[in-house]
Amino acid sequence: YHRFHPFPSADDEPFRLVFLPKLARYQCVRNPLPIDDALATLLHDLTAGIRRLLVALWFHAHRVAFERKNDDSLRLEDFKTAAATYMAPVADAVQALLSRSPDALARYEDLLPREEGHWNAFWAASA
């Protein structure tokens, strides 16, 4: 079990200088999207910086792009469409995370931090 904290913003250095450039290498289109501020901001706004959601959104944006005929490119609109369709079930939770509102976050108990001591005690007892 390894905790991966969400990227706090689109300007976060590990996100912009490490994660996003590595993810960008996996553009499976002839005309790739430039990695710029607009893309970074959009990705963060649609995923709240959660790595698993970032990768899922990347995958689904490609699905949207592949459905277009006669245009082998990836566009910002593909990410918006993917978020509104394939990833719609997590949209409200993402907005709750971005809002940082305790009331909004309380609706999603699975977004709460886990009790670290539970797993330490569990593994210690089984040894």
Side-chain angles (χ1 to χ4, degrees):
Y1 171 74
H2 300 282
R3 178 176 287 190
F4 291 100
H5 295 282
F7 295 112
S9 73
D11 297 325
D12 182 58
E13 282 191 23
F15 174 63
R16 287 302 296 270
L17 301 179
V18 179
F19 189 86
L20 190 53
K22 297 247 187 257
L23 189 61
R25 291 176 25 197
Y26 296 97
Q27 292 194 56
C28 304
V29 292
R30 184 163 302 190
N31 303 308
L33 188 62
I35 306 308
D36 58 13
D37 291 341
L39 176 62
T41 300
L42 180 63
L43 290 176
H44 191 272
D45 289 348
L46 296 176
T47 65
I50 298 172
R51 288 164 174 86
R52 185 172 184 158
L53 295 181
L54 283 159
V55 171
L57 181 62
W58 196 263
F59 170 82
H60 289 301
H62 277 78
R63 287 182 66 183
V64 171
F66 296 156
E67 291 171 0
R68 240 186 343 268
K69 302 293 183 213
N70 303 320
D71 180 12
D72 195 11
S73 65
L74 189 60
R75 305 176 186 165
L76 291 177
E77 293 79 26
D78 298 334
F79 292 92
K80 294 174 187 175
T81 300
T85 55
Y86 298 115
M87 297 193 59
V90 298
D92 290 339
V94 167
Q95 289 308 307
L97 285 167
L98 290 171
S99 76
R100 302 190 197 288
S101 162
D103 292 335
L105 289 168
R107 294 181 54 209
Y108 305 97
E109 68 182 44
D110 57 330
L111 296 177
L112 296 174
R114 293 186 180 192
E115 173 57 46
E116 297 292 329
H118 170 76
W119 289 110
N120 292 334
F122 174 81
W123 291 114
S126 64

